[in-house]
Amino acid sequence: MAPNLPSQAPVVIMGGGIIGLSTLYHLAARGVEAVLLERRKLASGTTWHAAGIVGQLRDSTAQTALGKYTAKLFRDLEAETGQATGYKQSGTLNLALGEVRHEQLLRQHDHAARMEIESEILDREQIAALWPTIRVDDVRSGLLVSSNGQVNALDVATALSKGARARGGQVFEDCRVDSLDIQHGRVRAVFTEHGTIATNRVLIAAGMWSHHFAKAHGITVPLHAAEHFYIVTEPVDWLAREQVILNIAEERTYWKEDAGRLLIGGFEAQGKAWARNGISEDFEFDELPFDMQHAEPELERMFARMPALEGLGIQTFFNGPESFTPDGRPYMGPSAEVEGVFLATGMNSNGILNSGGAGLTMAEWLIDGRPSRSMLPLLAVRAHPFQRNSAYNAKRAAESVGFHYGLHWPGRQVTSARGLRRVPLHAELRAAGAAFAERIGWEVPMHFGGGWTGEPSIRWKPWSERMQVECLAARDHAVLLDQSMYAKFIVQGPDAQAALSRVASANLERPVGTSIYTPFLNELGGIEADVTVVRLADDRFLVVTGHPSQMRDQHWICAHADPDWRFELFDATAAFALLSLHGPKSRDILSALAGSPDPASAAALPFGGAREVDLGLARGWVIRRSFLGELGFELLISAEFAGSVYEALIEAGAPLGLEHMGMFAMNACRIEKGFLHFGHDIGEDDTPFEVGLGFAIDLDKPGGFLGRDRLLEQVEDHRAGRLRYRTAMISVPSLTGADGPYLIHNEPVWKEGGIVGHVTSGDWGFRLEQMVGLAALHREAGIGPDWIEAGGFSVQIAGEHLPAQLSLRGFYDPRGERMRG
């Protein structure tokens, strides 16, 4: 019998899995009677066979808060709906077998304290008491989070559906969505096999079906299904009902109690992509054939870890599909291509533990236009159009299975779908010894030490000596850094300045030949992008931003422009090479290419200037900026001339000590200088005043800008040192680069017996010979220079408290004399 669909709905949700149902529930809780459409039965895709593990600790405060909310929701749902969820607070125990993983657990323990999640480091004997049947002779340590737990995924889905319907949400099963009605770049309706529903907001939460459906509508959803294996034993007498969940990352296995049985699963380093040619129409609650040969390495590790398994009967060898994304993170929020289409998909086997927070967040996005917490790492607009390629997604999804476990360190590189995007000088850089890493398809030169050999380390790396060469060359001679992967947009037309000024906090009314550093802001004054704008002509601007933000920043400009404004945005990323020349000898090298000292002189090209000059036998724009804290020039060259200019640079620079530089050394230098990195040190919840970018704000510029009202509220507190949040530089003089632990990320900062912040990025500073970083601080009474200068700070690294020095200015050349010389 065909369902009686409504003719219209405020929101239509595609997909009746745990994410779609959670969003329906949270919309209904706020009075929005949305419609959910499921092609078969609720939870019949991936949700039904999920292990149901619920963890809370995430990388950021915002994401951890959502994890805590999910755990609370599962506890409260049963009381609200009368439907059991199977929630039990059994706790999770993560083991470390080696020293690197042990240090990572110590750091997670520190981070958990900052996130107000109780955790405990256990020794071998304590671990054996919790899991007496596993071998612990080779175990180094364990991290216990007692407040974590597990649920029955099918029961949770039922409870969410029941709760949503009780508040007006509508659910229609056996109702396939055939297509979307898209007019003038906006969704207008949903066409189903049983009729049409008019709507201006659609959420694609269709799991492994999302990619192909979205692709048919010109929407980028990079994901693909991969097989996931686990075994379930016969009932085990000695297994406690609330047995703590066990994770052994180095062996890629997880262990949990399941209705009196033992369920053991694995995330192999290289998985198996499934359904490369599409998913069959009748797929519903289906299992896949268990590939014993493929799963054998994980099975062998399971039996070696628990010899008692040999005496237990295996009731089930299970294999089911789940969706995985190229970077191992979900896609959430508005799509970049079609207005009114939102995404919440690609959960990478974390759908259950993400579900509560994801549903809450998507309801906020759909109703309020933005979430109440930062979702920066998960934004759907980070996807690039090339990622619609299904073969690319299939190759990477198989490897993404392994992102869950193993050792995460800077030398860990993906191996699948490589060589896809190459800078114009790729061959030349390879010949010069570049070691490449993949970043959103780009082959990015990370260092020039030749390859990725060496043991995993989160301290001194196998290539650290080469980083030292590169950093000291930037200080003493010159370095050449290829940043051609950075996104480059041409914004032009009579209203180009208006379109950019709408989102930019800086005043763009500058002469032709000027570069302007500016954040793009949101309505609350938070930073949505971190860019440089160059005025090429009265009605033509160049915007340069980081390569991960290529699609996001374009979308932000266009989404906030007046529809009547006359301008166009052209993505010129592939059209230009971008070479950065830094160091005290950089001006001499550039003058040699120009055939005259004048084009590169301080008078002809002051800091922030930009001009078109001769470069060997070619021409290009030279922009006077620096991300290293040294005298620096950025060379914007049409791609076909890149090889010629590169050869001329090498020829002129070799006698002056010119070295190639990779992104690792660049990052170390920018941290020494105290320069911020978007996504690590700043994001949507930070205002320019709070992170030391007040110089990039013009509150009086004509026409105002997005977020100006919020900044006007902060300006007096900023001047008086009363802001509750500030970014500062941090140094740990007692640490050494070769032997001691590193500042990396999320290390708690203490003062007067309490946590007052955390490190957002850190590294060894080769020019300063000190461990340096940036830290986000918070204090209700306000953070001013006096409080910082009074000192008394320490930083907690892997359980050890070390005295730290903080400053509101960069430690390297704090007055900026080197880069402005």
Side-chain angles (χ1 to χ4, degrees), residues 503-578:
V503 295
S505 64
N507 192 339
L508 304 183
E509 185 55 57
R510 308 286 182 89
V512 173
T514 304
S515 69
I516 309 104
Y517 168 77
T518 181
F520 288 169
L521 304 185
N522 57 40
E523 295 90 339
L524 301 179
I527 299 171
E528 294 284 347
D530 183 56
V531 308
T532 299
V533 178
V534 182
R535 189 160 203 161
L536 303 176
D538 287 340
D539 61 352
R540 192 166 186 253
F541 296 83
L542 168 73
V543 179
V544 180
T545 186
H547 46 292
S549 299
Q550 183 174 349
M551 307 311 301
R552 171 195 168 103
D553 292 359
Q554 295 180 58
H555 180 259
W556 196 255
I557 295 168
C558 295
H560 292 88
D562 190 311
D564 295 329
W565 283 344
R566 298 165 297 161
F567 78 97
E568 65 176 1
L569 188 153
F570 169 68
D571 189 335
T573 301
F576 293 100
L578 183 66

Side-chain angles (χ1 to χ4, degrees), residues 1 93 104 336 432 504 540 542 645 796-797 809:
M1 181 177 176
L93 174 61
Q104 290 175 336
R540 192 166 186 253
L542 168 73
V645 173
Q796 187 176 0
I797 308 177
R809 305 179 74 174

Side-chain angles (χ1 to χ4, degrees), residues 247-268:
N247 295 300
I248 311 176
E250 288 149 291
E251 294 184 343
R252 300 185 168 277
T253 61
Y254 63 90
W255 310 58
K256 54 159 280 190
E257 185 274 343
D258 185 75
R261 303 163 301 173
L262 185 58
L263 184 154
I264 314 172
F267 290 99
E268 60 272 34

Side-chain angles (χ1 to χ4, degrees), residues 28-42:
R30 292 192 54 183
V32 177
E33 298 180 354
V35 170
L36 183 146
L37 305 175
E38 165 55 43
R39 57 179 290 277
R40 291 288 180 173
K41 300 298 181 186
L42 295 181

Side-chain angles (χ1 to χ4, degrees), residues 35 46 145 210 225 418 638:
V35 170
T46 293
V145 181
S210 300
R418 291 295 299 265
S638 185

Side-chain angles (χ1 to χ4, degrees), residues 22 188 196 319 517 536 638 645 684 757:
S22 180
R188 298 297 183 187
T196 301
N319 181 15
Y517 168 77
L536 303 176
S638 185
V645 173
E684 316 108 297

